[in-house]
Amino acid sequence: MAEPVRVRRLTDQEGQKLQQIVRRGSTSSVRYRRAMMLLASAGGNRAPVIAQLVQADEDTVRDVIHRFNEAGLVCLDPRWAGGRPRLLSRDDEDFVVQTATTRPTKLGQPFTRWSIRKLAAYLWKVHGRVIRIGRETLRCLLARRGVTFQRTKTWKESPDLERDAKLDRIEEVLERFPDRVFAFDEFGPLGIRPTAGSCWAEQGRPERHPATYHRTHGVRYFHGCYSVGDDTLWGVNRRKKGAVNTLAALKTIRADCPDGAPIYVILDNLSAHKGADIRRWAKKNKVSLCFTPTYASWANPIEAHFGPLRQFTVANSNHRNHTAQTRALHAYLRWRNANARHRDVLAAERRERARIRSEMRIRWGGRPLAAAV
């Protein structure tokens, strides 16, 4: 049987960028859906699950994943075709783009960034290669190749010394025990205020929401749990994060598998997730905690499912209070779990996992599978 299609291991920059696109949802629909595909694949979701999540064809999901493995985040932008013949050769265009994305100081120029005028003048007199291009043509070329004028940003490299080991552990449990793996994370803060979003409306007449100046309801945090094997999402709103609320969520996960066999929970590397009480309870109840590396929460499978949760329950909403907000969240979760996947596909995957477990049990001499981990 062929290996399932999956994205390669993400770098910290790629994971943070994809997580930012999915959580904010402020980009084009094409980039948003493709980022969700990649983030869901990085979290261990298979192509059928991702296709249902983004309402796309499975082959489209696989094509995006293959394209990312070959070219990286460039795959987020569609490759449009057509138009009049190029006046510049492909090599000339590549040289222009490479020059525009290089700091001028590295090319001996006395400024820290290019302007269109300075870049065009430099290309006319660059040593060994002369490219005659006007300012407007240069602006259109850069826009067509996805090079825009934007503010510089900072990013965080994971300082976790056990980064690779933690990612290996997460990948291992997702590959070997997908029906025994769960994910947990907090989503928020959730305030009571009109929130902008998107909707279908008559042209030029969008929905209007009132502005707020006094916010007296405080905030809440959605504590979410996700079953990788069953593709089921559930959770509850809490006033704050903390070890007590984390332990309560872990107990609901353990209750979802009352057979007493070991289960694996993927969660972020926060102090509220790994207190002494939590570790004692987890050891006693055969719950293996798999922490994501620092600044690498993109490796948590639940992250990809928080994007739709925000877009369809928080964005374009005006809840009266936290009670109404919580009811809306739970109503969406009930609808999502009822329409998440086709039951025939789920049953087929369960039979396949049972066959794999049986083969592994024979391979390991009849010992429980958890003993081999």
Side-chain angles (χ1 to χ4, degrees):
M1 184 176 65
E3 291 292 330
V5 177
R6 184 176 179 181
V7 298
R8 57 170 171 77
R9 178 172 295 180
L10 303 180
T11 64
D12 292 328
Q13 300 95 309
E14 292 172 339
Q16 292 165 13
K17 181 63 176 179
L18 294 175
Q19 185 179 11
Q20 180 187 66
I21 293 175
V22 171
R23 285 207 168 190
R24 293 185 179 180
S26 57
T27 184
S28 68
S29 59
V30 175
R31 288 175 58 86
Y32 175 77
R33 296 176 72 221
R34 293 189 177 190
M36 193 183 300
M37 293 178 192
L38 299 177
L39 194 60
S41 180
N45 295 277
R46 303 293 177 86
V49 180
I50 302 173
Q52 184 67 27
L53 177 65
V54 300
Q55 294 297 301
D57 187 76
E58 293 184 20
D59 291 337
T60 301
V61 175
R62 295 187 179 96
D63 290 341
V64 172
I65 293 175
H66 285 309
R67 174 66 176 160
F68 173 80
N69 292 337
E70 295 173 359
L73 292 179
V74 177
C75 72
L76 295 179
D77 298 309
R79 294 180 292 180
W80 307 117
R84 69 173 186 172
R86 296 189 180 94
L87 300 180
L88 296 177
S89 66
R90 186 72 178 185
D91 291 339
D92 290 338
E93 289 189 0
D94 293 340
F95 180 76
V96 171
V97 172
Q98 181 181 359
T99 304
T101 54
T102 302
R103 289 183 68 89
T105 52
K106 293 184 178 181
L107 300 176
Q109 302 302 305
F111 29 85
T112 59
R113 67 171 179 85
W114 295 110
S115 66
I116 293 294
R117 184 185 298 271
K118 289 182 175 60
L119 179 58
Y122 176 81
L123 293 171
W124 273 62
K125 61 181 182 181
V126 61
H127 178 70
R129 188 168 192 169
V130 178
I131 297 180
R132 301 184 183 277
I133 185 172
R135 294 197 297 272
E136 186 60 29
T137 304
L138 176 59
R139 184 182 294 108
C140 294
L141 169 61
L142 295 178
R144 186 172 68 251
R145 298 293 293 271
V147 179
T148 59
F149 189 78
Q150 51 191 295
R151 300 183 66 87
T152 55
K153 297 182 179 180
T154 59
W155 55 272
K156 295 180 180 179
E157 184 76 38
S158 176
D160 200 326
L161 299 179
E162 300 179 354
R163 177 184 182 275
D164 291 334
K166 291 179 178 179
L167 292 177
D168 289 340
R169 174 62 171 167
I170 292 175
E171 292 179 359
E172 180 183 12
V173 298
L174 286 172
E175 288 292 332
R176 299 183 60 186
F177 315 108
D179 56 339
R180 310 292 300 181
V181 178
F182 298 82
F184 166 77
D185 197 9
E186 294 92 354
F187 171 71
L190 302 174
I192 299 301
R193 62 182 180 87
T195 306
S198 304
C199 69
W200 294 98
E202 185 179 349
Q203 186 174 2
R205 300 179 64 87
E207 288 187 9
R208 303 285 183 177
H209 294 292
T212 58
Y213 299 94
H214 303 287
R215 300 172 185 172
T216 59
H217 292 274
V219 299
R220 297 291 187 273
Y221 293 89
F222 176 75
H223 289 59
C225 305
Y226 175 65
S227 173
V228 175
D230 295 334
D231 190 26
T232 304
L233 182 66
W234 72 93
V236 65
N237 280 354
R238 302 287 189 181
R239 290 182 178 272
K240 60 182 181 180
K241 302 178 183 181
V244 175
N245 293 331
T246 300
L247 182 57
L250 294 178
K251 288 181 179 179
T252 67
I253 293 176
R254 177 73 270 186
D256 192 62
C257 288
D259 53 6
I263 61 175
Y264 308 88
V265 180
I266 302 172
L267 63 172
D268 291 350
N269 189 30
L270 300 177
S271 59
H273 296 171
K274 52 183 181 181
D277 293 340
I278 294 176
R279 292 183 180 274
R280 282 195 296 268
W281 178 88
K283 183 177 180 180
K284 180 180 179 181
N285 291 272
K286 298 181 180 180
V287 177
S288 178
L289 303 179
C290 306
F291 296 104
T292 63
T294 306
Y295 302 146
S297 60
W298 50 263
N300 194 330
I302 201 175
E303 284 291 339
H305 301 273
F306 277 163
L309 185 64
R310 177 184 293 276
Q311 291 299 316
F312 293 106
T313 61
V314 178
N316 195 35
S317 68
N318 186 12
H319 302 296
R320 298 187 307 274
N321 48 49
H322 283 293
T323 301
Q325 185 182 66
T326 301
R327 288 173 179 171
L329 285 170
H330 288 171
Y332 171 79
L333 292 176
R334 287 192 295 270
W335 178 91
R336 182 235 180 252
N337 292 334
N339 297 273
R341 298 175 61 184
H342 198 282
R343 298 304 173 187
D344 293 341
V345 176
L346 182 59
E349 290 195 357
R350 283 179 172 173
R351 289 194 297 269
E352 179 64 19
R353 289 197 295 268
R355 183 188 66 79
I356 295 175
R357 287 199 304 272
S358 177
E359 292 179 356
M360 293 179 63
R361 187 176 293 109
I362 296 174
R363 186 182 308 167
W364 288 95
R367 289 180 296 164
L369 295 182
V373 179

